[in-house]
Amino acid sequence: MSGTEPRHVAHESVEERLSGVLGEVEEKLAAEIIAEQDLHEVKQPDDEDELPSMSEQIAEQLGGVRGLIESSVPVLAFVLLNVILSLEALGLEKREALLWAIIGSVGSALAIGGVRLARRQPIRHAVNGLFGIALGAWLAWRTGDAKNFYLPGILLTFGQAAVLLVSVAFRKPLIGYAWGIMANKGKQDWFENSRLFRTFQWLTVLWAVSLTVRAGIQFVLWQIGEANAIGIVRILVSWPIYAATFAFTIWAIHRVTSAQRRETPVT
């Protein structure tokens, strides 16, 4: 240091050196602690990540196309086996044919669940389907009438329609709650949006009507004892009605939310 250099410059230089040394020591200590305790930085989720579309999320919750197919297989197995084995040419008694139809239906449901387990895939939908199939099979065997295989599903569908209508009456439309959970990050702020609220009200009514029509057709056939016709209607009529209602729901909600986004002024 030259004699002409101001004293405060030399003083600041010493402080800077001390600060640098202390900083290096702190960094080394932190690195040693992380290495010793096996600590790692946890990456925080990015709130701005784009969520899957509403249709993708709802389809996932309901099992998607695969879920619809898998839930139809046990019913199809029951219908086919009951029709084929009931033919007089085979010489089987009605109750014996019913037994094999039940075995085929429950067996196919178990097989679907087993395949999912083997592939380490979710079995929630398979378990739910198996429960309904098992209950229907028990009723059919206990009463000796194949039509009762479908009775739990018919009653459950009527019950779902009733719950939806009650939610509308209390101005708590369940379709709105479903949208909030699956497509709005769990937020139920649609109550404050009058246009969305009205949309969810009438969409909930639409779903109730759809379920009532599906169950109503099957119930009429159940009353007149057309067991095989119930199975055919459930596969060839009920699922198309469900798919159409689902697609219309997605379109209606998207139409409202898109229109409101366009109407919102950009700040």
Side-chain angles (χ1 to χ4, degrees):
M1 180 176 67
S2 65
T4 60
E5 186 177 4
R7 293 177 57 87
H8 74 274
V9 174
H11 179 69
E12 291 177 354
S13 178
V14 170
E15 289 182 344
E16 290 174 357
R17 292 195 192 98
L18 287 174
S19 176
V21 171
L22 289 174
E24 291 178 0
V25 172
E26 290 176 353
E27 290 178 2
K28 289 181 180 179
L29 286 174
E32 290 176 0
I33 293 173
I34 292 174
E36 181 179 350
Q37 301 296 329
D38 193 24
L39 300 176
H40 303 281
E41 181 181 0
V42 178
K43 184 178 180 181
Q44 298 297 326
D46 187 358
D47 292 337
E48 300 302 321
D49 287 347
E50 184 179 356
L51 291 175
S53 68
M54 180 184 175
S55 59
E56 291 172 340
Q57 294 186 59
I58 294 180
E60 174 63 23
Q61 293 296 319
L62 298 177
V65 175
R66 180 175 177 178
L68 296 179
I69 294 174
E70 289 180 350
S71 64
S72 299
V73 169
V75 177
L76 182 60
F78 182 86
V79 173
L80 292 177
L81 288 172
N82 192 55
V83 170
I84 295 172
L85 297 178
S86 297
L87 295 175
E88 294 183 2
L90 296 178
L92 294 177
E93 295 182 358
K94 179 181 178 181
R95 194 168 182 82
E96 187 177 0
L98 176 60
L99 174 61
W100 283 108
I102 290 173
I103 291 174
S105 178
V106 175
S108 63
L110 287 172
I112 290 171
V115 170
R116 280 188 166 271
L117 275 176
R119 295 180 177 179
R120 296 184 179 180
Q121 296 172 335
I123 61 171
R124 179 177 68 255
H125 304 293
V127 171
N128 293 341
L130 179 60
F131 177 78
I133 294 296
L135 179 59
W138 179 80
L139 285 175
W141 178 251
R142 184 176 179 83
T143 60
D145 196 332
K147 74 176 186 178
N148 291 323
F149 174 83
Y150 306 99
L151 186 58
I154 295 173
L155 296 178
L156 177 61
T157 305
F158 275 132
Q160 291 171 338
V163 170
L164 288 172
L165 289 177
V166 169
S167 74
V168 171
F170 282 91
R171 299 181 64 80
K172 305 288 186 181
L174 289 180
I175 297 300
Y177 282 103
W179 177 81
I181 293 171
M182 292 184 284
N184 198 35
K185 300 181 181 180
K187 296 182 292 185
Q188 303 296 344
D189 52 3
W190 51 270
F191 275 104
E192 304 169 3
N193 187 324
S194 60
R195 188 172 176 184
L196 259 183
F197 177 81
R198 290 193 301 270
T199 299
F200 289 137
Q201 281 279 82
W202 66 260
L203 280 176
T204 303
V205 172
L206 175 66
W207 272 96
V209 171
S210 171
L211 292 171
T212 301
V213 170
R214 291 166 57 190
I217 295 173
Q218 295 178 59
F219 184 70
V220 170
L221 294 172
W222 180 86
Q223 284 187 311
I224 62 179
E226 293 293 336
N228 294 329
I230 298 174
I232 294 172
V233 165
R234 182 168 168 178
I235 296 171
L236 300 182
V237 177
S238 292
W239 286 129
I241 292 176
Y242 166 85
T245 307
F246 176 79
F248 182 80
T249 299
I250 298 299
W251 173 82
I253 297 174
H254 179 73
R255 179 171 177 267
V256 173
T257 54
S258 296
Q260 291 188 329
R261 280 196 298 269
R262 290 194 299 268
E263 295 167 1
T264 302
V266 179
T267 56

